[in-house]
């Protein structure tokens, strides 16, 4: 084996998946592809509109025909293809509530066709976490639900749908981010569930995804104390080796969650986090959004140094690079042109309303006299979602509070409805003025809402408007 620094560097860059700054391909990405760079990841900040995205992907393919081009295209609240206008798919929580795996597979295959048309061949989806904590700040409606067996069924269906059209899927966030009340973008979460609970709840959807031959599994920056109380999963050979490889038998590519997240690198920095992830068993390192050339080169140097010193065994590095190369070969680009096929019409038949959670107050509101309007209250997104249009405002269905006229009945919409959310003050003011008012939660319910949509994507918002009898303004 050639262990020269040049040879080690080529192996190292064959395990890296940086993002980059801007809406066109920077020169350093082109240069590093020639030096062996395996992959790049696109984020919302790289996307302006479909035409620009098509040009960007064309530039990437011209610069790197064999690159693994990745995005977080989950459907629902987390979208990159439809950034910032909002997804044309309902999202996992609604699909789980509909509980029709054929619909889930169809939604995933529609996503896969769009990705393939752009030349994107790795979808960092589906989320297969079981959302067992209602107050979870980062998973929520990205999950298929709180029941492990249902999440497992839909996880397998989603994987099958995406991969049926030649795009690699990536189940996340191993071994589970659903039982957390902390966002790993911002700090380091802990899961304290007992081992038998983990086995029957967190791990079950991953077993199903592996059974569906998922190409990749993404780690979580979460400490799971029953497996490894000292290290987040991304840096734990116990989690990645003993559990994922040995117990569950996964032979595909292990992808790290983004190393720029606080749960991964707040204490050590990204270069050290990259070394630790590879040592633990990760194969493809998601460096993070808006990776600069300086950051990228620092990561490369740190990993090369670790391999040269023996801290990172060279055979471990070679194993990782080989797995990634095989993934790229297995999911080559089809060369399709960009199409507008998003299966939007699939959701126009009213089926999504059947997955809403509707309280007793809603029917009385529907029966009340007066024109129906929706007031949407600003709700901060988590970092996974970003600045994507959501809810009724995304489709022109909202009225400002100041423009609500006498005699109108009002649906007040928000998401992440904690007890101190400003929505509650808006509702109180409107009711005090004599307006019939209901509360609509466009996220995962935390209590108190009259109607819950379990998602805020474009098609969900349109279904909500039709149900409430609200016309575009």
């Amino acid at each position: 084996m050639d262990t020269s620094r040049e040879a080690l560097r080529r192996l190292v860059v064959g395990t890296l998946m940086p993002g980059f700054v801007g809406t066109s391909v920077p020169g350093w990405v082109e240069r590093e592809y020639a030096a062996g760079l395996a992959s790049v990841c696109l984020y919302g900040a790289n996307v302006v509109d479909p035409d620009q995205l098509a040009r960007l992907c064309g530039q990437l393919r011209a610069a790197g025909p064999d690159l693994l081009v990745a995005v977080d295209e989950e459907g629902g609240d987390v979208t990159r293809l439809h950034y910032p206008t909002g997804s044309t798919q309902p999202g996992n929580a609604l699909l789980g509530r509909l509980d029709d795996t054929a619909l889930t597979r169809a939604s995933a295959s529609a996503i896969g066709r769009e990705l393939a048309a752009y030349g994107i061949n790795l979808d960092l989806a589906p989320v297969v976490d079981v959302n067992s904590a209602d107050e979870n700040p980062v998973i929520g409606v990205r999950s298929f639900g709180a029941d492990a067996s249902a999440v497992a069924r839909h996880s397998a269906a989603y994987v099958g749908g995406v991969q049926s059209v030649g795009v690699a899927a990536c189940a996340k966030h191993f071994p589970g981010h659903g039982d957390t009340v902390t966002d790993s973008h911002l700090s380091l979460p802990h899961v304290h569930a007992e081992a038998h609970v983990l086995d029957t709840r967190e791990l079950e959807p991953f077993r199903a995804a592996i059974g569906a031959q998922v190409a990749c599994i993404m780690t979580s920056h979460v400490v799971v104390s029953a497996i490894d109380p000292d290290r987040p999963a991304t840096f734990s050979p116990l989690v990645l080796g003993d559990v994922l490889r040995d117990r569950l038998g996964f032979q595909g590519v292990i992808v790290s969650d983004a190393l720029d997240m606080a749960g991964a690198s707040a204490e050590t920095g990204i270069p050290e986090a990259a070394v630790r992830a590879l040592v633990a068993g990760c194969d493809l390192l998601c460096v993070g959004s808006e990776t600069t050339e300086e950051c990228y080169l620092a990561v490369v140097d740190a990993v090369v140094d670790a391999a040269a010193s023996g801290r990172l065994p060279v055979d471990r590095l070679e194993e990782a690079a080989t797995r990634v190369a095989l993934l790229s070969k297995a999911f080559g680009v089809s060369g399709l042109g960009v199409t507008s096929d998003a299966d939007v019409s699939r959701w126009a038949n009213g089926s999504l309303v059947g997955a809403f959670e509707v309280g007793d107050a809603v029917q009385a509101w529907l029966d009340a006299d007066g024109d129906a309007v929706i007031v949407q209250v600003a709700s901060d997104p988590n970092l996974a979602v970003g600045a994507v249009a959501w809810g009724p405002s995304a489709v022109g269905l909202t009225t400002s509070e100041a423009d609500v006229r006498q005699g109108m009945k009002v649906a007040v919409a928000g998401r992440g409805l904690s007890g101190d959310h400003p929505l509650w003050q808006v509702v109180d003011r409107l009711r005090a003025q004599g307006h019939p008012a209901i509360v609509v939660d466009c996220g995962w319910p935390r209590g108190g809402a009259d109607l819950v949509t379990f998602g805020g994507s474009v098609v969900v918002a349109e279904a909500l408007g039709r149900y409430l009898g609200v016309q575009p303004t």
Side-chain angles (χ1 to χ4, degrees), residues 363-456:
Q363 189 59 53
W365 185 91
L366 290 171
D367 293 339
D369 294 332
D371 293 334
V373 294
I374 302 173
V375 171
Q376 184 164 317
V377 181
S379 306
D380 292 336
N382 63 55
L383 290 174
V385 173
V388 175
W390 64 276
S393 68
V395 290
L397 292 174
T398 55
T399 300
S400 70
E401 182 185 356
D403 291 334
V404 176
R405 301 190 305 273
Q406 186 175 2
M408 286 180 167
K409 55 186 181 181
V410 189
V412 186
R415 62 181 180 185
L417 298 184
S418 57
D420 59 355
H421 195 287
L423 171 143
W424 304 111
Q425 296 177 16
V426 175
V427 173
D428 288 344
R429 286 196 298 269
L430 289 167
R431 287 174 176 165
Q433 295 165 14
H435 297 284
I438 56 171
V439 173
V440 178
D441 191 337
C442 296
W444 190 274
R446 299 188 182 188
D450 301 298
L451 191 158
V452 183
T453 66
F454 290 88

Side-chain angles (χ1 to χ4, degrees), residues 18-34 37 39-42 46 52 55-57 59-60 62-64 67 290-294 296:
F20 56 83
V21 178
T23 56
S24 59
V25 181
W28 67 265
V29 168
E30 297 187 43
R31 183 188 70 241
E32 288 300 313
Y33 172 74
L37 177 64
S39 179
V40 295
C41 189
L42 301 178
N46 301 122
Q52 173 271 331
R55 289 194 299 273
L56 173 61
C57 291
Q59 292 168 359
L60 279 170
L67 272 173
E290 301 188 13
T291 306
T292 63
E293 181 178 8
E294 180 183 18
Y296 170 84

Side-chain angles (χ1 to χ4, degrees), residues 202-394:
E202 270 72 16
L203 298 186
E204 190 59 24
F206 288 99
R207 288 192 186 94
I210 292 167
Q213 298 184 318
V214 68
C216 305
I217 288 179
M218 178 179 283
T219 67
S220 66
H221 308 319
V222 175
V223 175
V224 183
S225 56
I227 304 173
D228 189 339
D230 300 318
R231 292 166 291 196
T234 301
F235 310 123
S236 172
L238 297 176
V239 172
L240 304 184
D242 293 3
V243 178
L244 182 54
R245 291 291 190 205
D246 297 341
R247 193 198 309 178
L248 300 189
F250 180 61
Q251 297 301 311
V253 171
I254 298 177
V255 183
S256 79
D257 205 348
L259 297 177
D260 63 348
M261 295 165 61
S265 59
E267 295 183 4
T268 68
I270 297 172
E272 171 63 14
V275 174
R276 293 176 63 202
L278 281 166
V279 170
C282 290
D283 302 308
L284 182 60
L285 305 186
C286 181
V287 181
S289 63
E290 301 188 13
T291 306
T292 63
E293 181 178 8
E294 180 183 18
C295 173
Y296 170 84
L297 293 175
V299 168
V300 173
D301 286 344
V303 180
V304 170
D305 288 345
S309 70
R311 180 185 173 199
L312 170 61
V314 176
D315 58 354
R316 165 83 274 271
L317 179 60
E318 188 174 42
E319 173 189 54
T322 298
R323 280 203 183 97
V324 174
L326 290 173
L327 176 69
S328 180
K329 184 176 181 180
F331 290 91
V333 180
S334 63
L336 298 174
V338 176
T339 71
S340 60
D341 178 14
D343 277 5
V344 176
S345 61
R346 181 183 299 280
W347 313 109
N349 61 4
S351 61
L352 292 179
V353 174
F356 292 175
E357 185 177 277
V358 180
D360 294 339
V362 175
Q363 189 59 53
W365 185 91
L366 290 171
D367 293 339
D369 294 332
D371 293 334
V373 294
I374 302 173
V375 171
Q376 184 164 317
V377 181
S379 306
D380 292 336
N382 63 55
L383 290 174
V385 173
V388 175
W390 64 276
S393 68

Side-chain angles (χ1 to χ4, degrees), residues 16 21 60 98-100 109 111 114 124 152 160 186 197 201 203 230 254 323 406-407 417 465-466:
L16 299 184
V21 178
L60 279 170
L98 289 169
D99 202 15
D100 181 340
S109 65
I111 289 171
E114 280 197 284
L124 301 177
L186 305 174
V197 174
R201 186 179 65 190
L203 298 186
D230 300 318
I254 298 177
R323 280 203 183 97
Q406 186 175 2
L417 298 184
R466 290 191 295 269

Side-chain angles (χ1 to χ4, degrees), residues 180-200:
T180 63
V181 294
T182 305
D183 184 348
S184 54
H185 291 87
L186 305 174
S187 59
L188 180 59
H190 290 70
V191 170
H192 297 297
E194 295 181 5
H196 73 277
V197 174
L198 292 172
D199 190 65
T200 58

